Amino acid sequence: MTMKKTNGGLVYSSEHGRMCPGCNRPKGECACARKMTAPPADGVVRVSRQTKGRKGKGVTLVTGVPLDEAGLKALATRLKQQCGCGGTVKDGVIEIQGDHAELLLVELRKLGWTVKRAGG
């Protein structure tokens, strides 16, 4: 049986705040995040609606966007302004509060992506 070395598991420092568990640097100076690239995609941006786990509140999901994390956040900000609502980026998926699928389809096509409506 081999023992795996860990970095000590430092998650928070009173001097620097949140710490990256991968490189043990403050989140703002994390070298791990810079190494991340855009996830592989099939070239199709999908727009769907979901209520699962949200107590009946619907959100519109945008997946498959071929951008890195900073690009996704900028796009999410633009889409939230177009819809006039809130939202977030989680695990490479843009979540927009409410049912705005039709508006998002038009906006994403204007940006030049191939867009499909996913789900029902």
Side-chain angles (χ1 to χ4, degrees):
M1 185 167 137
T2 60
M3 297 295 282
K4 183 178 175 183
K5 283 190 173 185
T6 62
N7 62 358
L10 182 63
V11 178
Y12 187 85
S13 166
S14 58
E15 183 177 343
H16 300 290
R18 293 221 174 262
M19 304 293 282
C20 173
C23 62
N24 261 353
R25 292 183 180 178
K27 278 287 189 182
E29 300 171 10
C30 176
C32 301
R34 291 187 198 118
K35 292 178 187 175
M36 292 179 66
T37 60
D42 61 354
V44 177
V45 177
R46 289 179 172 79
V47 178
S48 62
R49 185 173 179 275
Q50 187 180 67
T51 58
K52 185 176 180 180
R54 294 178 175 87
K55 299 181 183 177
K57 306 285 185 178
V59 296
T60 305
L61 303 176
V62 180
T63 59
V65 181
L67 296 174
D68 61 349
E69 193 69 25
L72 282 175
K73 287 183 181 182
L75 178 61
T77 301
R78 179 177 174 172
L79 295 177
K80 290 188 296 185
Q81 289 173 352
Q82 291 290 324
C83 295
C85 63
T88 187
V89 176
K90 291 183 183 175
D91 299 325
V93 177
I94 299 174
E95 296 182 5
I96 304 292
Q97 294 175 351
D99 188 6
H100 300 282
E102 296 304 319
L103 178 62
L104 293 177
L105 286 169
V106 172
E107 288 299 317
L108 292 169
R109 283 190 182 118
K110 284 182 186 176
L111 294 173
W113 283 312
T114 303
V115 186
K116 286 187 178 179
R117 176 77 189 254

